[in-house]
Amino acid sequence: MSKQRSGLLSGLVVGLMAALVCASGLGAAVHFEDRLPSSWLAFGDGVPLLAALAFVVGVLVGGAVRLVRPRSVLLSLFTALYAAAAVPAAMIGAVAYALATVGAQRFGSDAPVPGLTPQGLLDALPLAARTVWGAVSGSWHLPAVMAAAALPAFALVLARALRLRRTGRHAAVEQPRPEPETAPAPEPEPEYRAPFEPLQPPKQDPTSTGSFFLPPDRGQA
């Protein structure tokens, strides 16, 4: 039987791709959150709404990694890190987009505006990263949101890996071992007789007393 693969490498690649896609979607949701009802944004300073979106990100990242049928328990930790890192990455992207948009509009409505460019977005990334880092280190809101994303991703991948490992152990125990091959018993050699050779009469026992119907002296004659 071939050795069962752990799925660690493929899980890392799939998890990274899923985290990037989910970070892009979460960043877009954060950027357009002003279009949501104001009561949603005012409840808990918007932390429950952002935690719910982060929870969905964790479920999506963990579900994507589960598709590779992982057997490595270590992959659950990397998946949790991917999901947690997707939250600040989304925040940095949303803040950088907002800064780049504001920088493109600072010339006034009458002046020719160059518009949002990739270079302007890249120039705004350092300031956006510092802004998000200040939010992470100065408040518990963003770390709590990151934990809300990491928890489902970790639990989904860990449960999948443990189930597959348990199934593999049960299959290995229940598989019958091949019995050792025993050499066949030798067949008795057939008695050789030449062609047209008459059957030999059975030899008489010398201790026999003769015929049952004759006297002993005539039976020995």
Side-chain angles (χ1 to χ4, degrees):
M1 185 174 61
S2 59
K3 185 178 180 180
Q4 297 175 345
R5 61 185 182 88
S6 63
L8 180 60
L9 181 59
S10 56
L12 291 176
V13 175
V14 172
L16 179 59
M17 296 176 61
L20 292 176
V21 173
C22 291
S24 301
L26 183 59
V30 170
H31 178 71
F32 295 105
E33 66 178 1
D34 54 347
R35 300 184 181 182
L36 297 176
S38 58
S39 59
W40 293 11
L41 300 177
F43 177 73
D45 294 334
V47 176
L49 177 61
L50 188 58
L53 294 176
F55 186 86
V56 174
V57 169
V59 171
L60 293 177
V61 175
V65 177
R66 280 171 63 96
L67 296 178
V68 303
R69 299 178 61 85
R71 295 180 180 272
S72 175
V73 180
L74 185 61
L75 185 58
S76 59
L77 298 177
F78 286 104
T79 307
L81 291 177
Y82 282 156
V87 176
M91 301 295 293
I92 291 174
V95 173
Y97 182 84
L99 292 176
T101 304
V102 171
Q105 295 176 352
R106 69 178 183 272
F107 299 100
S109 57
D110 297 336
V113 179
L116 181 64
T117 60
Q119 185 62 38
L121 187 61
L122 292 177
D123 294 340
L125 282 178
L127 180 57
R130 289 193 296 269
T131 304
V132 174
W133 175 251
V136 172
S137 59
S139 175
W140 60 270
H141 293 167
L142 194 54
V145 173
M146 295 171 61
L151 181 60
F154 176 79
L156 288 174
V157 178
L158 180 63
R160 180 69 165 175
L162 293 179
R163 182 181 302 176
L164 291 177
R165 290 163 69 94
R166 190 182 307 113
T167 304
R169 286 197 298 265
H170 289 344
V173 171
E174 295 177 358
Q175 184 178 5
R177 296 182 179 181
E179 298 181 357
E181 298 181 357
T182 57
E187 298 181 357
E189 297 182 0
E191 183 181 358
Y192 175 77
R193 188 172 71 239
F196 305 104
E197 180 180 357
L199 294 175
Q200 299 293 334
K203 297 181 180 180
Q204 296 183 355
D205 189 1
T207 61
S208 176
T209 57
S211 175
F212 181 77
F213 299 97
L214 295 176
D217 55 348
R218 296 188 60 183
Q220 296 176 358

